Each structure stands twice: as C-alpha cells, then as structure tokens.
C-alpha cells in the first residue's frame, strides 16, 4: 500500500509493450537501472507494466534496439 502511494507521488506511466523481444527489453531496462514494476504478461503476446515518468524518456532507444513497440 505504501509503495503505491510513493509511486503516485513520483508519477508513473502504464505502458504496453509488444514485439518479439519483450524479455530482452525488460532485461535491458533492469540493467540500465530503470525501475519497472507490476509486470503482467497477456496471452496475445503483449506485456503491461508500470514505469516512472522520469524513466519513460529512456525507453525509446531500448525499444528501437529490441524492435518492440511501446503504447501508453
């Protein structure tokens, strides 16, 4: 409960990632110290996750490298 409150104060974005290398996308995010939380995989091949607003800008080169699509 307290963790959700702090996420609300800092600001976060719920994004949907699709493509063939979603696992690689998540591994690169973790390696670059991008805080990823509430990861949920769907049966249609997409993944929904929460990320801070400050780190959202850093996702573009990662998405290009892994050939994944990001949707807010």
């Amino acid at each position: 409960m307290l963790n959700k409150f702090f996420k609300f104060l800092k600001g976060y974005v719920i994004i949907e990632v699709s493509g063939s290398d979603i696992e690689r996308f998540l591994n690169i995010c973790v390696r670059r110290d991008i805080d990823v939380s509430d990861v949920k995989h769907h049966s249609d091949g997409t993944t929904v996750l929460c990320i801070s607003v400050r780190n959202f800008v850093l996702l573009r080169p990662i998405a290009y490298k892994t050939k994944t699509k990001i949707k807010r």
Side-chain angles (χ1 to χ4, degrees):
M1 180 75 172
L2 193 59
N3 190 21
K4 288 184 180 184
F5 179 70
F6 285 121
K7 281 196 320 188
F8 175 74
L9 286 178
K10 286 191 203 176
Y12 67 95
V13 180
I14 299 172
I15 61 170
E16 181 178 306
V17 182
S18 61
S20 60
D21 285 338
I22 296 174
E23 293 85 10
R24 184 174 177 217
F25 174 84
L26 291 173
N27 286 335
I28 293 173
C29 286
V30 170
R31 192 175 19 183
R32 293 186 183 182
D33 293 327
I34 298 174
D35 187 28
V36 176
S37 62
D38 298 334
V39 179
K40 297 177 185 144
H41 298 284
H42 293 280
S43 60
D44 61 350
T46 61
T47 301
V48 178
L49 53 102
C50 292
I51 192 163
S52 69
V53 174
R54 186 180 328 160
N55 290 330
F56 182 73
V57 180
L58 303 173
L59 295 182
R60 188 176 207 176
I62 299 171
Y64 179 77
K65 185 176 187 176
T66 58
K67 295 176 181 60
T68 55
K69 302 285 185 199
I70 299 173
K71 193 186 321 182
R72 286 195 299 176

